[in-house]
Amino acid sequence: MGVLSTPLDSTELSNLLQELAADAAQFRFDVAPNPCVGAAILSKGKVIARGYHQRWGGDHAEVEALELAARSGVPRADWDTLVVTLEPCSTRGKTGPCTQAIMEAGIESVVIGAVDPDPRHHGLGIRFLEDAGLEAVLLPGASPLEVVAPHFLDWTRQERVRRPRPWVIAKWAQTSTGQLSPPQQHGDGRTISSPESMAQVQHLRASVDAILTGVGTVVADDPRLTVRPPARTVRAPARIILDSGLRTSPEARMFDPPAREESAGPIRILCTSGPDRAREKALTVAGAGVHGLRGENRRFLHLRAVMTWMWEMGYRRVLLECGPTLLEAFFRAGFVDQIRVVTGSVRGGRGESMGHHLLPSHLTARRDGECGPDSVLDAFVTNEPSP
C-alpha cells in the first residue's frame, strides 16, 4: 500500500479515525449486524464532510460523506483523501459497493482504520482500490473493531459464517418490577409502554427484514405486526408466525387490509411438517404462506430449522416480538443477538421476568435511555447458549 501525500501526518489521521469511530458508535444498535462506520472527505488536509452508517439498509458512511462533500461548496477536483474506520465494501448488498463510489468520485487516496474481518471480503476492498490506481493506507489500531464494533466480529466469526442465521433483536416491555404483563386492573390489562415508546417501536419495526412471533401471542393479543406512523418504510417487514399446529385464525386482524399510511408485509406461518390440509387451505385463502418445517415430536418447531429457513428467505435482521416462553427458548438456544427492553412505570404485574438475562455478564455495549416516562435499554447479548 502507498504512502499518502495528504498534509496530515499519521498521528493526525489516527486521531481523526478515533473521532469518527466514537461518533459512529452511537448508531451501533441501529445498523447491527452491520458495523458502525464513520468516514470523512479531506481537501488539502481539511475535513469538508463526515458521514456515518446510521440505519440498517441505509447509505454506508462513505456514500453519505461523499454526498455531504458535494454540498460543501468545495470543488470535486479538490477532494483528495477519504478517511474511513473500516475497509470499504467491494460487493453489493442492500446498497452498492462503496469502492465503486469512491473511485467514481475521483478520490485519489484512502486511509483505512481496520480491515474487514469477514473472510469472504477480507482485503478485497483494499485490492480493488489499488487495482483502480488509488493509494490505500492502513493505520492498524486507529479504530479497532473489538472496541468500535465488537458485534460485527461476532457476526463474522467462523462458526456463524459456516452456519449462518439472522441477527435477532428481542424486544419486550416490562413493568418496573420486571413482569411482562401488567396487573389485570391496569388499563386494558396488556399495555405497559407509553405512547412515546410504542411510537419508537414502529421505527424499530421499520428497520428490520422480518417480525417474528409465536402463535400464543397471536391468539392472546391478535396483533397486526405492521409499521405505522410516525414510522415509514418502503418495504414492510415480513410477518412470521411460529405455529406448529396451525392454530392461527384466518379471521385474525393481521389478515385485514392495511389502513392508510400502514405498511403490512407478507404473512408467513411456519408449522411442523405435514400440516392439517383444511387449516392450511383456510390460512392460504386468507393470505398467508404456510411452510412446513422440521419439528420436535411434532409439537414444537425446531428453532435451528426456523433460523435456517429465515436465512434462506433472505431475512438478515429480525425483530422477535413474543411472549416469555418463546423468548426463553431463543435465549436458551443462543439465538438472541441484541435486545430492546422498555421498562414502564407500572408496578407489579403478572407473568415471567426476563431479569436474569439482563445481568452485566450477559450483555455488551449497553446503552440506557429514556422515551417519555419509560426507560429503554439497548444492548448486545453475549452469544453463548444457556446450559
Side-chain angles (χ1 to χ4, degrees):
M1 288 181 281
V3 178
L4 292 175
S5 56
T6 174
L8 299 183
D9 60 28
S10 60
T11 299
E12 292 171 313
L13 289 169
S14 293
N15 290 339
L16 176 57
L17 281 165
Q18 291 171 17
E19 290 177 13
L20 292 169
D23 291 339
Q26 67 181 303
F27 304 110
R28 60 194 183 278
F29 299 108
D30 304 306
V31 302
N34 284 349
C36 40
V37 177
I41 307 296
L42 276 61
S43 174
K44 301 175 183 178
K46 180 181 178 181
V47 175
I48 62 171
R50 300 180 188 228
Y52 303 94
H53 183 33
Q54 299 187 38
R55 62 182 178 82
W56 172 254
D59 287 340
H60 286 189
E62 300 94 322
V63 172
E64 182 176 87
L66 289 169
E67 291 178 351
L68 292 174
R71 303 178 208 163
S72 69
V74 178
R76 186 179 293 261
D78 292 339
W79 305 355
D80 50 54
T81 305
L82 182 142
V83 179
V84 62
T85 58
L86 182 66
E87 177 183 7
C89 64
S90 56
T91 57
R92 175 171 290 277
K94 285 183 173 290
T95 61
C98 291
T99 49
Q100 187 70 29
I102 294 168
M103 184 187 69
E104 292 175 353
I107 297 289
E108 297 178 352
S109 303
V110 181
V111 180
I112 299 166
V115 179
D116 191 330
D118 191 327
R120 297 165 296 184
H121 310 300
H122 186 86
L124 292 182
I126 292 174
R127 286 198 291 274
F128 180 95
L129 295 172
E130 291 181 329
D131 290 346
L134 282 71
E135 293 180 301
V137 168
L138 178 66
L139 294 181
S143 54
L145 281 170
E146 59 269 21
V147 175
V148 181
H151 68 278
F152 189 57
L153 293 176
D154 180 62
W155 177 247
T156 56
R157 60 190 167 90
Q158 185 176 3
E159 185 276 334
R160 189 143 189 174
V161 171
R162 184 176 62 85
R163 300 185 71 189
R165 56 182 174 83
W167 184 267
V168 173
I169 306 168
K171 174 265 169 187
W172 70 88
Q174 62 184 22
T175 67
S176 62
T177 46
Q179 280 71 44
L180 271 63
S181 297
Q184 288 184 330
Q185 67 272 20
H186 175 77
D188 60 5
R190 294 184 302 180
T191 303
I192 296 173
S193 305
S194 66
E196 294 90 341
S197 292
M198 288 190 285
Q200 191 180 71
V201 167
Q202 297 302 318
H203 290 290
L204 180 58
R205 286 181 175 180
S207 75
V208 299
D209 299 326
I211 302 170
L212 178 66
T213 194
V215 66
T217 297
V218 173
V219 171
D221 298 340
D222 199 15
R224 293 280 290 152
L225 301 179
T226 55
V227 176
R228 300 183 292 275
R232 296 180 182 275
T233 181
V234 175
R235 184 178 180 182
R239 296 171 285 176
I240 304 173
I241 317 301
L242 303 189
D243 183 5
S244 57
L246 292 185
R247 293 196 291 131
T248 301
S249 169
E251 305 298 321
R253 291 176 59 243
M254 73 175 68
F255 292 109
D256 294 343
R260 184 181 179 185
E261 296 187 330
E262 181 183 34
S263 299
I267 300 171
R268 311 292 187 193
I269 298 179
L270 308 187
C271 62
T272 53
S273 298
D276 181 288
R277 295 304 177 191
R279 293 179 182 177
E280 179 184 11
K281 181 177 180 180
L283 290 168
T284 301
V285 170
V290 179
H291 308 268
L293 300 180
R294 180 161 59 99
E296 299 176 1
N297 62 38
R298 294 186 61 82
R299 291 187 57 205
F300 303 102
L301 286 162
H302 194 281
L303 290 187
R304 170 57 76 173
V306 170
M307 299 296 277
T308 298
W309 178 88
M310 289 194 296
W311 182 269
E312 292 175 348
M313 290 291 291
Y315 306 132
R316 297 294 181 264
R317 179 173 155 106
V318 174
L319 178 61
L320 180 63
E321 289 195 59
C322 61
T325 301
L326 191 55
L327 274 172
E328 282 286 359
F330 266 80
F331 272 112
R332 284 197 305 271
F335 289 160
V336 175
D337 300 292
Q338 182 177 334
I339 59 171
R340 162 73 61 84
V341 183
V342 178
T343 303
S345 57
V346 181
R347 294 188 60 82
R350 300 164 288 130
E352 302 290 334
S353 170
M354 296 288 117
H356 55 292
H357 294 296
L358 305 182
L359 297 175
S361 60
H362 295 174
L363 306 178
T364 60
R366 174 177 179 140
R367 179 179 71 187
D368 292 279
E370 295 180 350
C371 186
D374 302 334
S375 299
V376 179
L377 166 65
D378 289 293
F380 297 128
V381 178
T382 54
N383 237 329
E384 295 294 334
S386 300

